[in-house]
Amino acid sequence: MSDTNGKLASRLYPSHIDIPANVRSQVVTLLNQTLAATADLKSQVKQAHWNVKGKDFYQLHEMFDEIAAEVEEYIDMVAERVTALAGYACGTVRMAAADSILPEYPTDILSGEEHVTALVERFAAYAKHLRTAIDKADELNDQDTNDLYVEISRTIDKRLWFLEAHIQVSEVKSEGMVKEKASVN
């Protein structure tokens, strides 16, 4: 977390919730890290949506838009969990940019395969973050936050699968593992 966001990311307000403040502070910090990554992921998917070119343009354009809408729902869910724990949700674009775990989206790509590859890399990093957060929320005995992370993780893994399916054939071919189809007369 950036210095400024770090203080905000763990800020707590008075609450009657029965989770100790020291636990809530740790969970809220974790959730704010996820909020930054989720907002960044959504913006990167939209970047692909706007800039994809090539023979699969329409299919990918539509899929990227659908994925971005799904990820946007998670932004709200994560931010609302922060505030339910009496924390401060660090959700501006600038906050997300400062604290996201994701690498910057490449600006020199156009083809559908290049955009899918870039998104696969980001979804894999995000999925890894979610699994770490699942374990941390469990360790802190916050089963509601754990459940939120598990729900998001399932969908992110499914989306990663969908994205990878677009590039796996070319990856396998480049490794010499796919046999040419026999011609049918």
Side-chain angles (χ1 to χ4, degrees), residues 2 28 34 50 61 67 89 93-94 112 118 135 151 159 180:
S2 66
V28 164
T34 304
W50 295 320
H61 180 77
I67 292 171
V93 172
R94 290 180 184 172
D135 291 342
E151 178 182 345
R159 288 306 186 175
E180 292 297 319

Side-chain angles (χ1 to χ4, degrees), residues 18-35:
D18 66 340
I19 300 173
N22 67 326
V23 171
R24 285 189 294 123
S25 179
Q26 292 177 68
V27 173
V28 164
T29 299
L30 179 63
L31 285 163
N32 270 312
Q33 291 170 343
T34 304
L35 182 57

Side-chain angles (χ1 to χ4, degrees), residues 17-84:
I17 195 165
D18 66 340
I19 300 173
N22 67 326
V23 171
R24 285 189 294 123
S25 179
Q26 292 177 68
V27 173
V28 164
T29 299
L30 179 63
L31 285 163
N32 270 312
Q33 291 170 343
T34 304
L35 182 57
T38 310
D40 189 19
L41 183 63
K42 185 232 175 190
S43 72
Q44 291 194 32
V45 173
K46 287 302 277 189
Q47 186 71 15
H49 165 78
W50 295 320
N51 290 292
V52 67
K53 307 283 187 247
K55 63 181 176 80
D56 294 327
F57 161 78
Y58 187 76
Q59 173 191 3
L60 292 175
H61 180 77
E62 290 295 311
M63 183 176 72
F64 295 161
D65 202 34
E66 183 180 312
I67 292 171
E70 200 167 64
V71 172
E72 185 169 5
E73 289 179 28
Y74 297 140
I75 294 168
D76 199 46
M77 290 168 63
V78 170
E80 287 179 355
R81 182 66 184 153
V82 168
T83 57

